[in-house]
Amino acid sequence: MIKVDDYIPIIGQSVIDDLRLIGAQLNGKVVQHINSTSVGGGVAEILNRMVPLLKELGVDTRWDVIKGGEQFFNVTKKFHNVLHGRKDEVTQSDFDAFLDTTRMNLEGINIYGDIVYVHDPQPIGLVNKRSGNKWLWRCHIDVSHPHTKVWEFLMDFIVQYDAAVFSAPSFSRKLPIRQFLIPPSIDPLSDKNKELPQEVIDQVLRKYQIVADKPIVTQISRFDRLKDPVGVIEAYQQVKKYIDCQLILAGGTATDDPEGAQVLAEAQEKAHRDKDIHILLLPQNDIEVNALQRASTVIVQKSLREGFGLTVSEALWKAKPVVASNVGGIPLQIKHKYSGLLCHSVQGAAFALKQLLNSPEYAQRLGGNGREHVRNNFLITRHLRDYMLLFLSLYHPEDLVYL
Ligand code: UDP
């Protein structure tokens, strides 16, 4: 079990001392996180790491997951897509299905937190159960250009919260409640990010029958259209005309994502019979993700829209050169030509990939800068501090708290 002190060699003693001081101020408060899945995707990833550490710091932190059927998750997936700006028709029956499941969860869930921390739109309606406690809504989505009807529907709930939390200034909207800006983070000591012996990396490559005899370009992502796996294959195909390399597209499915199987099939069709394209349906196995990232020459994240994009920080922490789209939280992580390369299209991604594959020294420099950028900004220790200061600020609304 990881302890808070285990982070001292990575981040320094004084940061950990500060965390303990702040944690002590929250003694006696119960923080209840609520989201819609315990596995798959960035929210579950972060909560899994933060909950035990917050507990050790003295903040009594628990985590509950709402229930929902296929229809509900189809609707919330549609909400997610249109909030990100994708075109789709949202009907009254979608809103009704959302409200039906919300009612069911309102009856089933026990709300016991002094602070109830609700993640994303799926459980947003639970706020109807608020009594004397504090409620926070954590929005992981870029809602700067949302679907009007869906946003108005959500606003009826949002205004009932004490505050909303966004990952970046550009994701947020004007709201009548307090707003906080807190980017997510990665855990350098998790199975996903810790150092791995070369034998483990080799074993994982063998398991998936990948021979590291030519450069490996990798995208790790759920099979989701917004992650553009087909676009990644197109970029690879352009690069392949000039540089003999291989592509790994690896992803599992999240229990709240019904579209995965279809997107996976589209990628398989696009890959056709190219033996250098490895499309892997991963089990939930963090060591495997870690090993595939470490085995890669270059990491890609060619998303069309993105929340924060944790996979980018994961790759940079491993000092990998990254080519990623200039969307969502990615430009917070990649300063173009300093800690990676940003792109805007298939052609742009292909051009950047060729550049990095042809210039290993340049690629290494970008990766090294990326690792330091993540150390300074996107590790879990910074995130713990921001969350605890946020919780404290709820009890001191008149004081300014700098996050
Ligand atoms: N991930 C994983 N297995 C997979 C695909 C993704 O463990 O097969 C992880 C990935 O390493 C990252 C998270 O899921 O930690 C995805 O977070 P991100 O912010 O990149 O995207 P999201 O899925 O939340 O849109």
Side-chain angles (χ1 to χ4, degrees):
M1 172 105 155
I2 302 291
K3 294 283 185 208
V4 176
D5 280 352
D6 296 338
Y7 294 87
I8 294 171
I10 297 170
I11 203 72
Q13 179 74 52
S14 66
V15 172
I16 303 302
D17 291 345
D18 281 355
L19 291 182
R20 291 198 187 284
L21 279 173
I22 304 168
Q25 306 289 312
L26 285 158
N27 231 287
K29 298 273 184 252
V30 176
V31 179
Q32 179 180 12
H33 289 273
I34 304 176
N35 82 325
S36 63
T37 177
S38 57
V39 283
V43 179
E45 174 78 19
I46 293 169
L47 283 177
N48 263 312
R49 306 306 302 176
M50 289 193 96
V51 169
L53 291 170
L54 283 166
K55 279 187 179 157
E56 194 201 324
L57 289 167
V59 189
D60 185 349
T61 309
R62 329 245 182 110
W63 175 12
D64 292 289
V65 177
I66 57 160
K67 296 193 170 66
E70 195 185 335
Q71 193 191 5
F72 174 71
F73 287 124
N74 280 328
V75 169
T76 57
K77 179 75 193 184
K78 199 192 271 189
F79 282 10
H80 180 96
N81 287 339
V82 300
L83 286 171
H84 266 307
R86 200 166 108 182
K87 298 271 171 289
D88 204 343
E89 203 197 333
V90 182
T91 63
Q92 189 54 44
S93 74
D94 292 331
F95 292 122
D96 292 343
F98 185 93
L99 292 173
D100 282 347
T101 301
T102 299
R103 266 191 292 275
M104 183 192 78
N105 280 300
L106 278 166
E107 281 166 22
I109 203 160
N110 182 14
I111 299 289
Y112 49 79
D114 296 301
I115 297 170
V116 185
Y117 202 157
V118 173
H119 294 261
D120 282 335
Q122 298 92 330
I124 198 169
L126 294 180
V127 72
N128 282 346
K129 222 169 172 170
R130 82 169 286 164
S131 47
N133 40 12
K134 309 282 186 192
W135 284 71
L136 290 168
W137 184 55
R138 174 60 165 114
C139 181
H140 294 266
I141 306 171
D142 175 356
V143 290
S144 50
H145 300 91
H147 185 283
T148 317
K149 243 168 55 178
V150 171
W151 183 250
E152 282 170 2
F153 175 78
L154 296 179
M155 272 301 277
D156 285 346
F157 299 112
I158 294 169
V159 294
Q160 299 178 55
Y161 283 80
D162 291 281
V165 183
F166 293 92
S167 297
S170 60
F171 283 23
S172 60
R173 298 183 65 72
K174 210 161 184 287
L175 293 176
I177 59 172
R178 295 172 82 196
Q179 290 192 49
F180 293 85
L181 301 172
I182 303 183
S185 63
I186 61 162
D187 185 346
L189 298 179
S190 65
D191 283 350
K192 177 81 52 78
N193 297 307
K194 68 184 184 189
E195 300 285 334
L196 288 182
Q198 189 60 41
E199 307 96 80
V200 175
I201 299 171
D202 293 343
Q203 247 171 31
V204 173
L205 289 183
R206 268 200 305 280
K207 172 175 171 185
Y208 291 108
Q209 296 169 342
I210 299 163
V211 183
D213 58 351
K214 48 184 117 171
I216 299 175
V217 174
T218 300
Q219 175 163 296
I220 308 271
S221 275
R222 292 177 294 105
F223 286 94
D224 178 325
R225 260 187 214 102
L226 293 180
K227 307 287 184 186
D228 199 18
V230 169
V232 176
I233 296 174
E234 286 168 355
Y236 154 85
Q237 286 167 339
Q238 290 189 17
V239 175
K240 183 83 170 167
K241 290 182 204 155
Y242 305 94
I243 303 171
D244 190 17
C245 57
Q246 48 191 332
L247 174 68
I248 301 177
L249 277 180
T253 49
T255 51
D256 61 351
D257 181 2
E259 257 180 357
Q262 199 187 336
V263 178
L264 172 66
E266 286 165 15
Q268 281 162 334
E269 191 183 322
K270 183 78 192 174
H272 204 48
R273 275 195 285 275
D274 184 335
K275 287 204 171 50
D276 281 333
I277 301 182
H278 308 275
I279 298 184
L280 313 179
L281 193 57
L282 294 182
Q284 194 63 39
N285 183 327
D286 288 349
I287 297 274
E288 287 190 2
V289 171
N290 188 344
L292 291 172
Q293 287 168 330
R294 287 184 189 278
S296 303
T297 319
V298 181
I299 298 278
V300 191
Q301 190 60 56
K302 212 211 137 299
S303 307
L304 301 173
R305 297 274 192 286
E306 194 48 86
F308 179 71
L310 279 175
T311 47
V312 172
S313 275
E314 288 163 9
L316 294 176
W317 180 245
K318 293 165 185 110
K320 292 293 164 183
V322 178
V323 172
S325 305
N326 190 8
V327 294
I330 290 174
L332 295 177
Q333 302 173 71
I334 293 185
K335 302 292 160 215
H336 186 53
K337 298 187 182 174
Y338 177 75
S339 54
L341 295 178
L342 293 172
C343 62
H344 301 83
S345 62
V346 167
Q347 288 72 17
F351 184 79
L353 281 170
K354 274 188 283 184
Q355 204 182 358
L356 293 180
L357 291 171
N358 278 329
S359 327
E361 275 172 28
Y362 179 50
Q364 197 183 358
R365 196 161 66 244
L366 296 185
N369 291 343
R371 180 171 162 95
E372 288 317 301
H373 186 57
V374 171
R375 189 196 307 277
N376 292 328
N377 297 285
F378 301 120
L379 293 187
I380 194 166
T381 36
R382 189 274 307 151
H383 204 175
L384 288 164
R385 179 176 173 277
D386 285 355
Y387 269 14
M388 291 192 297
L389 289 176
L390 164 64
F391 300 154
L392 277 179
S393 80
L394 294 174
Y395 296 97
H396 304 277
E398 68 287 356
D399 297 341
L400 271 181
V401 176
Y402 294 98
L403 296 182

